[in-house]
Amino acid sequence: MSENQISKLEAATRQLDTAISLWFSNGDIVSIHTLACSAYQIIHDINKKKGYRDLLYDSVVFKDEYRRKMINILKGDYNYFKHAESDPDRIIEFDGSNTEVFILFSLFGLEMLGINHNDIRGAFIIWQSINNPDRLTEKGKKQYIDNIPSENIAQIRNVSRSEFFDSYILLRSQRRTPS
């Protein structure tokens, strides 16, 4: 493929990586949300075409009779940021709380597709795991945080997202570079 040819999956991973980078640098919440939702939609569609289920819109935790309503709620802010034909003067209160959910489910979808996480996506997973360990199963804790010494976890919880991200990216690049 030439550099001007971009697959849907590449577009999604680039959007996702940009959303995560902006999230770590406390960038614009509207841009982060829109990029995360766009990436999620592509990843969701590809997973669905391949017969995979249990991403956000297809989650088995929603009863089928409520699925459309839940999807509309989840897509509400994203659709607001994309369209203005029916409500050009509308103003919403946006807190961005669903953005991390779209990022996480995009990451799950990539895993289902066999796509390994790069450093940017890995940083998000580690940050979330360390700062929200109560959201993890025992398997998740073993996979993401059990091998990190507890004193390091305490230190990580006391740094800003941007400091963590910069340090994580630096450490990962140092590990790849032979001494």
Side-chain angles (χ1 to χ4, degrees):
M1 235 186 320
S2 78
E3 67 181 60
N4 292 334
Q5 294 178 321
I6 300 170
S7 71
K8 294 280 188 169
L9 203 48
E10 183 181 348
T13 57
R14 289 167 66 172
Q15 289 170 337
L16 184 59
D17 289 349
T18 301
I20 292 170
S21 296
L22 287 169
W23 182 85
F24 272 114
S25 66
N26 296 308
D28 178 68
I29 62 173
V30 171
S31 299
I32 297 166
H33 189 76
T34 305
L35 286 164
C37 290
S38 293
Y40 173 79
Q41 187 65 60
I42 292 170
I43 293 165
H44 169 85
D45 292 346
I46 292 170
N47 271 280
K48 192 169 186 171
K49 277 278 194 212
K50 293 188 179 276
Y52 302 139
R53 191 177 168 151
D54 210 25
L55 285 181
L56 194 53
Y57 300 152
D58 294 327
S59 178
V60 294
V61 301
F62 299 135
K63 288 183 174 182
D64 285 337
E65 62 262 30
Y66 297 107
R67 184 171 314 283
R68 178 59 29 211
K69 182 177 183 177
M70 294 305 299
I71 290 170
N72 289 339
I73 290 169
L74 289 166
K75 286 185 172 184
D77 293 330
Y78 178 50
N79 286 333
Y80 175 82
F81 297 139
K82 291 191 316 174
H83 306 289
E85 66 270 359
S86 65
D87 59 356
D89 298 321
R90 184 172 165 219
I91 296 173
I92 64 166
E93 191 75 35
F94 178 66
D95 67 6
S97 58
N98 285 337
T99 304
E100 291 176 26
V101 173
F102 281 99
I103 293 172
L104 286 169
F105 274 87
S106 294
L107 296 171
F108 298 151
L110 290 175
E111 285 179 7
M112 284 185 214
L113 294 169
I115 309 248
N116 292 326
H117 298 306
N118 63 10
D119 291 348
I120 293 169
R121 296 186 293 266
F124 188 83
I125 290 170
I126 298 299
W127 172 267
Q128 288 294 325
S129 298
I130 289 171
N131 287 283
N132 301 297
D134 53 316
R135 296 179 185 170
L136 297 175
T137 62
E138 287 308 311
K139 181 181 176 187
K141 288 177 186 174
K142 277 187 175 147
Q143 185 173 353
Y144 297 117
I145 58 175
D146 278 359
N147 61 346
I148 302 172
S150 58
E151 63 272 5
N152 290 20
I153 289 175
Q155 287 176 319
I156 291 168
R157 286 185 180 137
N158 288 322
V159 300
S160 70
R161 290 192 315 216
S162 61
E163 288 176 284
F164 168 82
F165 184 68
D166 292 343
S167 297
Y168 183 90
I169 297 298
L170 178 64
L171 287 171
R172 296 290 298 166
S173 73
Q174 288 173 347
R175 281 188 166 174
R176 281 191 299 279
T177 306
S179 307

